[in-house]
Structure formats: structure tokens, C-alpha cells
Amino acid sequence: MDLKQQSQTLAPFPNKVAKITIAIDGYSSCGKSTLAKTLAHSLGYQYIDTGAMYRCVTLYVIDNKMIYHGELDVKALVNHLDDIDISFRKPEGAIDADAFLNGVNVEEKIRGMNISNHVSLVSAVKEVRLRMVALQQKMGHACGVIMEGRDIGTVVLPNAELKIFMTASLEVRVRRRFNEIKSKGQEVSLEEVKENVLSRDYKDTHREESPLLQANDAVVLDNSNLSHQEQLDFALKLVEEHS
Ligand code: DC
């Protein structure tokens, strides 16, 4: 049984419990999306993947040739921010929502290595962050939302009732990301994935604009040695305590 099926066969969460807002932050490839999605399925919450939004902007930048020799044309990007429309929609029959850029489903495209290799350049731009944070705050306004990213508990939803900060060893994260890329039929080496994960960690934690930080009131979840089910149980217990 895969994780999606597991979460669907779980006993429904008691519906008398008030819905809360949950922020999940952490390093690249430490299983944030997997946990956030299963938790959302179990609770009947809405899941919002903020990394996908920065990936959509990066795809726009690449498609519109705003990166020359590894340098981003920040001015051109800022001038075109109004032309970038990002939304999440569920294709018919799907369980999870896909990312749409200007009306086109780009879910698969934004997960490729080319996007991963350039997204830190784009996500460090102040104007991009301001725009994405405003959009995320609008999406996170309702209760029953699980939002996942790097600055959710600190900047986007500082009043979230539950904040989880996820981490895992570098080896575990690299192996997970490598397997994920391979499972999509894309060619990549372990070394390339390791370089990308390390470089994104460095840039995410050192950028000037809302760097990746653990919120003071976040609960740390190191999942290096935890199964999917153990992580889900841990999170469900936290939700019960914070509802
Ligand atoms: O979660 P992810 O790997 O799909 O995120 C892609 C990139 O976007 C990541 O390298 C950092 C950036 N990001 C960010 O700066 N702030 C967020 N809230 C989410 C992602």
C-alpha cells in the first residue's frame, strides 16, 4: 500500500476538532511535501506547496531567457512579475493539485534539475518574495491549511497554530531526491543531486530576504530514521495537541 492509500484508510480525524493552520518548513529534500500531503489527506486539509510557486517563476524566467551565463536579469524579471500567474488546480480525478503557470499545467516541468539548479537565484529576489508571500498569505487565510516551504512559520504564517521544522541527514536527503528524479525517468548522478541539495541549503540559509530559519515555536522533526507512517503519526499527535 502506498502512502496515499495508507492515509486514505486511516480512521478519519475527529471532526469536532477545530481546523488549524499548519506551517511546515525545512531543508531541501527532507520529505516535507510527502508528509504535508499525507497529513492533508488524513485531516481533510488544503495543502499548499510554496516551493512550487518559486519553481513556476523560475520556469517563466528560463522560458523567457532572463538568465544569461548563469546571471539573472533581475530588472527584466521584476518588470514582468505582473505577467506571471500561478495557481493550483486539481486535474479531473486527481487526488493532489498541480501547479499551473499562466493557465498551463507545469507540475512535471518544474520538478526537473534545470529548474532546481536555478530556483535559488530567483527565490532570493526581494520583489519575487514579496509577491509570493502576499499570494501565500491570501491562500493561507482560511483554517485547515497546511503550507510547506522555507519561511512559512517565520514570515508567511507567523501565527500558525502548529509549526513543524523538518530535517534529515544529508545522505538520506540526497538518496531520496535521487530516487525521486530517477522514478520520473530523468537522468541524474548522485553527485549532481548532492551538489544541488548542498548549494540550495547554503543559499536558502544565507540569503538576505527571509532566509530558511527555524521558528522559535517550531517542533523539530528529524526524519532520517523514521518511516512515512511514523512521521504521520508524530504529526497527527501534534495536531491533536495544538487543536
Ligand atoms: O521545496 P522546493 O525544493 O520545491 O523549493 C524550491 C526552492 O524554492 C528552494 O530551493 C527554496 C525556494 N523556496 C523558498 O525560498 N521559500 C519557500 N517558502 C519555498 C521554497
Side-chain angles (χ1 to χ4, degrees), residues 112-178:
M113 276 309 283
N114 193 30
I115 301 294
S116 296
N117 285 335
H118 294 99
V119 65
S120 298
L121 266 181
V122 172
S123 63
V125 176
K126 184 179 177 176
E127 290 82 354
V128 171
R129 297 209 74 84
L130 288 175
R131 187 65 68 112
M132 293 302 119
V133 168
L135 201 55
Q136 290 154 10
Q137 287 176 332
K138 228 167 151 183
M139 293 173 171
H141 195 65
C143 284
V145 164
I146 301 178
M147 194 174 285
E148 171 247 313
R150 303 294 190 287
D151 58 346
I152 311 305
T154 50
V155 175
V156 182
L157 303 172
N159 296 323
E161 284 91 349
L162 172 60
K163 299 177 186 176
I164 301 176
F165 188 85
M166 288 180 66
T167 183
S169 72
L170 178 65
E171 290 68 31
V172 167
R173 292 191 292 134
V174 168
R175 176 58 66 180
R176 281 183 189 149
R177 183 87 182 111
F178 176 78

Side-chain angles (χ1 to χ4, degrees), residues 44-62:
Y45 277 34
Q46 192 195 348
Y47 161 62
I48 300 165
D49 173 2
T50 62
M53 298 168 75
Y54 291 99
R55 287 174 180 270
C56 281
V57 180
T58 307
L59 177 60
Y60 180 90
V61 157
I62 291 173

Side-chain angles (χ1 to χ4, degrees), residues 190-206:
L190 260 182
E191 205 40 52
E192 197 183 345
V193 173
K194 186 174 176 184
E195 250 174 54
N196 179 259
V197 167
L198 277 174
S199 141
R200 284 201 291 146
D201 279 356
Y202 183 84
K203 287 174 188 156
D204 288 347
T205 48
H206 287 79

